[in-house]
Amino acid sequence: LQREFQHFMLKEIYEQPESIGRGVAQYVASLGSSAPSFHALPEANCFEEIQILACGTSLHAALVGQFVLEQVAQIPTRVRSASEFLAAPLPVTRQTLLIVVSQSGETADVLAAMRLANQQSSSGLAGFKVFAITNNSHSAIAQQADYERSVGAGVENSVAATKTFTAQLVLFYGLALAWGRQRDRIPDEQWVTWQSRMAALPSQVDQVLQQDDSIAAIARSLKHTNHIILLGTGINYPIALEGALKLKETTYTHAEGYAAGEFLHGSIALLDHTIPTIALCPTPPFRSDPSLENPPSEGGDQMLKVTQRIRRNGSDVIAIGGSEAAIALPLCDQLLSPFLTVIPLQLLAYHLAIARNIEVDRPRNITKSLNSF
Ligand code: F6R
C-alpha cells in the first residue's frame, strides 16, 4: 500500500529500507563478484592512510566511516571538518587517500578544502589521490576528484539529510569490507557473516520504523523541552552528534551529543529535572558478535553506569535499545547498530518539529546546499 506523506523529511526517512537495500546490493553483495561497483577504485595497497573531509551530517557519516575503516579494515584514518581543514590542513603524503564526502557535491568548504589539499600535493606527491563520495555524480566535487562514487540514495528534497546519511554509511562499510578483504583482515567466514548481516538491515530498519507512533508520542512529551542531551559510545558517538544536529536544525531545540563517559567530566553539571537525556544503548546485553571480531566493547557497561548516575540525580533518561528501552531495537551487531540507532532520532526530530508547527522541510536560516555564503 502506497502511504501518503505530508512532508519530504518523513517520506525520505521511510525510504531508507529501500535505499539501504539498494546500496547493500551495489556495494556489499557484489564485492568479490564481477560487478563493477569497486572497479577502478584505488586498491588498498595504493595508500597507507586515509583522511576524510566533510561538513554537517556528512561529517558524522565520515566519523562512523572512520570507525569501520580503522576497526574492520585496520587502516589509519583521520577525519576533519572541511572548514577546520582550511584553518589547519592535515599534512598529506604520497600515501594519503583523501576522501571527501558531500551529499550535494556542491558544498563550498569541501570544494575549497579539496583545492587546498591539491595545492599541498602538487609539490611532487604524485601518489596523492582524491576520492569523492556524493549523491550526485554530476556535481562539482564529484567532477573534480580523481575517483568518485554516488551513494545512489535518489534525490533528497528535505533540507535535513536522512536517507543520504544511511546511504553514505553503506558505502563506507562497503569500502572498509573491500579494503579489509584486500588486506587479509576479513577471513571468509567473517565475510559471509558481514554479507548476511548487511542484507538483513532493510528489514531491521523497517522494524524500527514500525515504532513510529510511540516515537511520535515521546516527541509530543518533549514539546516544551528546551535542552536535550544525547549520549553514545564507540560507533554510536557520531550518531549522538547526528541526532543532536537533527534536533537543532529541525526543532530549534538546544541539543548536544556527547561520548557517554566524557559527559561525566564536567558537563553532567548541566542536568536538572527539566533536561532529558537520550541514551543510545544498542545490542542488549551489550555483547559484540565474536564472529565479526568486533573491537572489545566496554561501551555497554559504560553507558549503564552513566545512565544510572543520571537517573540517581533525578533526570529522565530515554533509552533507545537496551533492557530499559523506551524505544526498542532489533538485536544486531554493535558495528552495524548505527543504521538502527539513527532512525528513532530522525523520527523524533521530525515529530517534535511537527508538534511545534515548524516548517520541517525548510527550517529557518539554512539551505539544502551551502555552496556560497
Ligand atoms: C544536515 C544538513 C547539513 C549538511 C551539510 C553538508 O541535515 O543538511 O548539515 O549535512 O551542510 O552538506 P553536504 O553533505 O551537501 O556537503
Side-chain angles (χ1 to χ4, degrees):
L1 199 71
Q2 195 72 26
R3 179 175 162 176
E4 295 264 320
F5 292 99
Q6 286 198 317
H7 299 98
F8 281 116
M9 184 177 174
L10 191 62
K11 175 171 177 283
E12 288 158 4
I13 291 172
Y14 270 79
E15 280 170 359
Q16 289 176 107
E18 197 192 319
S19 52
I20 291 171
R22 252 194 338 263
V24 171
Q26 186 173 0
Y27 289 118
V28 181
S30 66
L31 273 184
S33 74
S34 56
S37 311
F38 285 95
H39 288 183
L41 278 189
E43 299 270 317
N45 60 8
C46 300
F47 53 88
E48 277 179 5
E49 63 136 13
I50 293 175
Q51 295 180 12
I52 315 178
L53 307 178
C55 301
T57 290
S58 297
L59 179 63
H60 300 148
L63 290 169
V64 176
Q66 176 186 29
F67 202 97
V68 284
L69 286 164
E70 289 188 333
Q71 302 296 331
V72 178
Q74 294 176 31
I75 304 171
T77 304
R78 286 186 281 177
V79 178
R80 187 154 290 177
S81 82
S83 53
E84 284 302 302
F85 182 88
L86 293 172
L90 296 160
V92 296
T93 72
R94 74 178 72 239
Q95 273 87 37
T96 300
L97 176 66
L98 182 73
I99 300 182
V100 287
V101 193
S102 171
Q103 176 282 129
S104 60
E106 303 290 347
T107 297
D109 281 337
V110 179
L111 272 165
M114 271 171 88
R115 267 197 298 275
L116 181 61
N118 272 320
Q119 274 163 21
Q120 278 186 309
S121 70
S122 60
S123 43
L125 300 180
F128 168 82
K129 295 285 183 232
V130 181
F131 172 22
I133 296 177
T134 72
N135 194 33
N136 178 2
S137 292
H138 303 292
S139 61
I141 290 171
Q143 297 284 312
Q144 289 176 30
D146 299 298
Y147 307 97
E148 68 88 20
R149 284 294 179 277
S150 166
V151 298
V155 174
E156 188 172 66
N157 285 294
S158 170
V159 162
T162 55
K163 65 174 178 172
T164 54
F165 175 75
T166 45
Q168 288 166 341
L169 295 194
V170 173
L171 186 38
F172 270 121
Y173 280 68
L175 290 169
L177 291 172
W179 288 331
R181 291 282 281 166
Q182 288 166 12
R183 290 186 169 216
D184 289 331
R185 305 291 192 204
I186 305 171
D188 289 345
E189 327 80 74
Q190 266 183 43
W191 168 231
V192 172
T193 311
W194 267 110
Q195 281 184 307
S196 65
R197 297 283 160 86
M198 291 205 67
L201 284 175
S203 73
Q204 292 188 315
V205 169
D206 207 44
Q207 285 175 50
V208 182
L209 290 171
Q210 283 168 27
Q211 296 181 68
D212 197 5
D213 288 346
S214 47
I215 296 170
I218 294 171
R220 285 192 292 275
S221 75
L222 297 173
K223 187 174 173 187
H224 302 292
T225 301
N226 294 322
H227 309 277
I228 299 177
I229 301 296
L230 294 97
L231 302 182
T233 58
I235 200 164
N236 279 292
Y237 168 47
I239 302 301
L241 300 179
E242 172 57 10
L245 178 58
K246 284 289 91 91
L247 284 164
K248 281 180 278 205
E249 69 178 332
T250 63
T251 77
Y252 313 151
T253 312
H254 173 227
E256 293 300 334
Y258 292 90
E262 200 52 30
F263 185 63
L264 300 182
H265 294 276
S267 307
I268 192 170
L270 281 170
L271 288 187
D272 63 21
H273 69 279
T274 67
I275 304 182
T277 298
I278 298 176
L280 304 178
C281 327
T283 61
F286 305 121
R287 240 184 286 110
S288 54
D289 183 341
S291 67
L292 291 185
E293 279 205 355
N294 272 315
S297 169
E298 297 302 320
D301 294 343
Q302 176 90 280
M303 184 63 87
L304 203 60
K305 274 196 298 223
V306 177
T307 52
Q308 280 169 349
R309 179 139 167 223
I310 292 172
R311 284 190 166 116
R312 268 204 312 277
N313 291 357
S315 300
D316 282 344
V317 175
I318 301 168
I320 297 184
S323 48
E324 296 176 53
I327 302 164
L329 295 176
L331 201 61
C332 87
D333 187 82
Q334 60 141 328
L335 279 172
L336 287 166
S337 61
F339 288 97
L340 306 185
T341 49
V342 77
I343 305 291
L345 300 177
Q346 295 171 344
L347 286 170
L348 206 59
Y350 171 77
H351 289 296
L352 186 52
I354 298 304
R356 291 184 178 170
N357 280 325
I358 290 169
E359 208 194 313
V360 68
D361 284 333
R362 296 283 172 269
R364 69 189 178 201
N365 301 343
I366 48 177
T367 53
K368 181 72 181 155
S369 166
L370 207 60
N371 52 8
S372 62
F373 294 103

